[in-house]
Amino acid sequence: MGTVTESREADERPDAPRGAAAALRAGVRPPRGKVRLTMAIVASLVLIAVCIPLAVRAADADGVTPIPQVISFMPWFLLPAGFGLLMAALARWPLGVAWALLTLACTAWFMRPYETAADAPSGPVAARITLLSSNLKFGNATDGLLAALREHKPDLVSVQECDARCAAALRTPELREAYPYRVIADGNPSEGSALLSKFPLAKGPTIPSELKMPGGTAEIAGQRVRIQVAHPLPPLPERAYMNGWRTELERLRDFAADAGNGPLIIAGDFNSSQDHAAFRRILDTGLRDSALLLDRSRTPTWPQRTAPAFGAQIDHVLVGDRLAPTAIRFLDLAHTDHRSVLVELDLHERRDTAPAAN
């Protein structure tokens, strides 16, 4: 009897690995049956469409059209990935379920705020500043901007898409009294930009761009604060726009890198989100996104028609050394497709880096 038992055990042992291999093959093979196979194909197509931009994001790149256009909406990748999971589950396709779960996990991972190693400012607060950044959509929201200035009374204002009507409104006696210092770069409805300041403001260099990006230096509490309008070209599918978008974001990065350690503000419509590698390069210079610091890094600012329920955050207020945001609001002005960003900032006193005397 002992010999018979040993024989049976010997016969059963090889079956175990064969059974595991069969189960694995069953999970890899496409599901059987037309309905289940169709569901598996649908799941595959959806997951491929999501995984391509995720792979570009993982490579720390922006890719080619249409990836730069859709990658700003990365949080919404959860919806098609979840649909792919449902289709794979209904198809009883284990490999597809695993693929969908991995896609969801990768999407969630990249949705984390992009944090840099820049130190938060410390020391006494020298001044409190309020800054408003608004894209007026060809100047159509000029009246809304004027109403916001009267209501919120920001100290600094960055205006994008300031057309002739907008420029004329900013030069009226009322605005000259409220904002005696200004840099206005006239242009066609999409090109024009402006900086307004309650503080003494010296015109600074303009970053070369199709849509004008003027800058200046304000004297605030005895400190020179550099302020720069941001408005690179949008990443439209045409090659000229895509090349311009990359080039102008790179110029903003170079400007930030060359600005040194003094207080710096870059505010405007960046036409990019933290999911774009070109925008992350700007943050890598040490600038910090005000919305991120205040736990609002995924608050959509465009398109206004569907924000905040759906959209992307492409309007930013980036701050450098000795500047700390303390509050942020997103304003909806009529007749524009962007939400305005209103940020309160603390300007800290200059740190004494000289060695202590013995």
Side-chain angles (χ1 to χ4, degrees):
M1 295 295 293
T3 304
V4 173
T5 302
E6 290 176 1
S7 176
R8 288 177 179 174
E9 289 177 353
D11 291 338
E12 291 171 357
R13 278 195 291 269
D15 289 344
R18 285 201 298 270
L24 180 60
R25 286 194 298 271
V28 173
R29 283 199 304 264
R32 296 178 180 177
K34 290 184 178 180
V35 174
R36 291 170 58 189
L37 180 59
T38 300
M39 289 180 176
I41 292 173
V42 170
S44 298
L45 294 175
V46 170
L47 292 174
I48 289 172
V50 174
C51 286
I52 290 174
L54 284 178
V56 173
R57 176 68 173 81
D60 199 23
D62 288 320
V64 298
T65 298
I67 294 173
Q69 290 79 18
V70 303
I71 206 167
S72 289
F73 301 95
M74 180 167 289
W76 301 98
F77 289 7
L78 294 173
L79 294 180
F83 178 75
L85 175 62
L86 176 62
M87 290 292 100
L90 292 176
R92 300 178 186 176
W93 182 28
L95 181 64
V97 170
W99 181 10
L101 290 173
L102 180 60
T103 302
L104 286 167
C106 290
T107 303
W109 175 263
F110 288 127
M111 283 173 54
R112 299 174 307 142
Y114 183 74
E115 298 181 2
T116 63
D119 295 331
S122 59
V125 175
R128 288 187 166 88
I129 310 163
T130 304
L131 181 144
L132 176 68
S133 177
S134 296
N135 181 313
L136 304 185
K137 193 184 180 182
F138 313 134
N140 294 334
T142 297
D143 290 341
L145 172 67
L146 298 178
L149 296 182
R150 286 191 291 267
E151 178 180 356
H152 300 286
K153 299 178 174 58
D155 302 301
L156 301 169
V157 187
S158 170
V159 186
Q160 307 94 54
E161 299 196 25
C162 182
D163 69 344
R165 294 170 298 165
C166 165
L170 299 183
R171 291 185 172 108
T172 60
E174 176 190 1
L175 264 292
R176 286 185 179 276
E177 182 179 357
Y179 297 94
Y181 308 99
R182 77 271 315 288
V183 176
I184 299 178
D186 294 298
N188 69 32
S190 62
E191 289 179 359
S193 295
L195 276 175
L196 304 179
S197 174
K198 294 182 178 180
F199 307 103
L201 180 70
K203 184 178 180 180
T206 297
I207 296 177
S209 57
E210 292 291 330
L211 309 176
K212 296 181 179 179
M213 296 194 286
T217 301
E219 291 287 341
I220 306 175
Q223 301 192 54
R224 294 168 59 85
V225 180
R226 299 184 69 177
I227 309 163
Q228 177 65 46
V229 174
H231 196 202
L233 282 170
L236 299 179
E238 292 85 348
R239 179 178 295 182
Y241 276 96
M242 287 301 306
N243 291 340
W245 175 73
R246 289 190 175 93
T247 298
E248 292 175 7
L249 284 170
E250 183 69 16
R251 289 172 182 166
L252 281 168
R253 190 212 70 82
D254 292 343
F255 171 80
D258 295 340
N261 295 324
L264 169 66
I265 302 171
I266 305 180
D269 170 15
F270 285 76
N271 278 311
S272 55
S273 73
Q274 71 172 51
D275 296 309
H276 289 109
F279 179 73
R280 295 194 298 275
R281 301 286 184 271
I282 300 174
L283 297 180
D284 289 341
T285 64
L287 291 179
R288 294 161 292 129
D289 193 332
S290 296
L292 184 152
L293 294 175
L294 297 170
D295 296 325
R296 302 291 299 277
S297 64
R298 289 285 181 181
T299 303
T301 62
W302 176 89
Q304 188 198 75
R305 185 182 299 273
T306 58
F310 175 81
Q313 186 177 87
I314 63 174
D315 300 87
H316 309 271
V317 176
L318 308 185
V319 297
D321 189 53
R322 299 201 295 277
L323 287 160
T326 59
I328 188 169
R329 293 180 61 185
F330 299 91
L331 310 179
D332 295 320
L333 307 186
H335 309 300
T336 179
D337 54 346
H338 288 256
R339 305 178 80 195
S340 297
V341 185
L342 181 67
V343 179
E344 295 179 10
L345 302 166
D346 279 353
L347 173 62
H348 291 256
E349 292 182 1
R350 186 179 293 105
R351 289 192 293 264
D352 184 8
T353 57
N358 292 329

